[in-house]
Amino acid sequence: ADVVESQADVDGYRVAVPHAEVTVVRLRASREALWQRLAGRESGASLHWHQKRAIELAALMDKEAIGDILVETDEKSVFEIADEILRLLF
């Protein structure tokens, strides 16, 4: 699990693990969901930094079309998200 900001990041994984099949699964959430999730684990200046960065990353990933598979996560449980990923992969 990692933040992938560009195709160069993905290419780096492919180089690091030769002959591996690398599939990037992007988990996308609305701004409201991102902020709510971050508020559950961050506070103060850290919360504000992470909120700003989450919005920047979401816009960048949209612009760069990051991800072989895109899963919308709003209002889904971890189990529902995992199930959807498995269905899309296999």
Side-chain angles (χ1 to χ4, degrees), residues 33-79:
L34 287 171
W35 284 36
Q36 181 180 23
R37 292 171 189 168
L38 288 167
R41 65 177 187 252
E42 303 291 338
S43 63
S46 178
L47 172 60
H48 297 295
W49 184 90
H50 280 92
Q51 286 174 329
K52 181 180 178 214
R53 184 65 178 143
I55 299 307
E56 291 171 351
L57 285 171
L60 179 63
M61 289 179 204
D62 282 342
K63 179 182 172 211
E64 298 294 324
I66 298 298
D68 302 304
I69 295 172
L70 175 64
V71 176
E72 300 290 348
T73 63
D74 283 11
E75 299 183 26
K76 293 179 184 171
S77 72
V78 172
F79 299 107

Side-chain angles (χ1 to χ4, degrees), residues 6-49:
S6 68
Q7 189 58 46
D9 290 344
V10 177
D11 294 342
Y13 285 108
R14 290 193 170 107
V15 168
V17 188
H19 310 293
E21 183 177 326
V22 176
T23 302
V24 176
V25 177
R26 179 169 172 210
L27 305 177
R28 182 164 60 188
S30 66
R31 175 183 170 159
E32 294 77 21
L34 287 171
W35 284 36
Q36 181 180 23
R37 292 171 189 168
L38 288 167
R41 65 177 187 252
E42 303 291 338
S43 63
S46 178
L47 172 60
H48 297 295
W49 184 90

